[in-house]
Amino acid sequence: VQLQASGGGLAQPGGSLRLSCSVSGFSLGDYAIGWLRQARGKAREGVTCLTSSEDTTYYTDSVKGRFTISRDRTKNTVYLQMNNLRPEDTAVYYCARWPWAVVSDRLCKSGAAEHWGKGTLVTVSS
């Protein structure tokens, strides 16, 4: 199982970034997938999750209405569109996979994923 996030960088407050995650070694149609983040000095947290059937998404409260998770099974890629970025969104973002097709809101936000790859740094600053 491999997950490789990319697309991070520097953005101004109110700006946008789109993260991508290339996955291999498993099918996106079989597992719940999502994004975690870890800010300096803080614990890792779950940002968003998408169930394998794409019928349910979860978002941590601080990103609701601003972030959107999506995936393209033909490209084995997961995306995180981040709009209206805030300085508190500054963190290393990781693409992650859970060991089941479905996860609960609580499990998603706990960040307790089974697999995650090398992260990508997002810095929001003016």
Side-chain angles (χ1 to χ4, degrees), residues 18-61:
R18 187 175 83 154
L19 306 184
S20 299
C21 174
S22 177
V23 308
S24 61
F26 68 98
S27 171
L28 288 174
D30 292 335
Y31 296 93
I33 197 159
W35 292 87
L36 317 175
R37 69 183 178 186
Q38 186 166 20
R40 183 175 297 181
K42 295 187 176 181
R44 185 178 67 204
E45 65 170 341
V47 177
T48 178
C49 296
L50 174 65
T51 57
S52 64
S53 61
E54 294 187 282
D55 60 353
T56 304
T57 56
Y58 299 111
Y59 295 93
T60 193
D61 290 346

Side-chain angles (χ1 to χ4, degrees), residues 8-9 11-17 19 36-40 42 45 47 60-64 66-67 80-94 120-125:
Q12 292 189 338
S16 298
L17 284 173
L19 306 184
L36 317 175
R37 69 183 178 186
Q38 186 166 20
R40 183 175 297 181
K42 295 187 176 181
E45 65 170 341
V47 177
T60 193
D61 290 346
S62 63
V63 308
K64 284 180 180 177
R66 301 188 297 121
F67 289 12
L80 181 64
Q81 178 65 44
M82 305 186 295
N83 297 329
N84 193 20
L85 284 162
R86 304 169 180 171
E88 55 264 37
D89 295 318
T90 296
V92 177
Y93 285 72
Y94 303 87
T120 185
L121 176 63
V122 172
T123 302
V124 184
S125 175

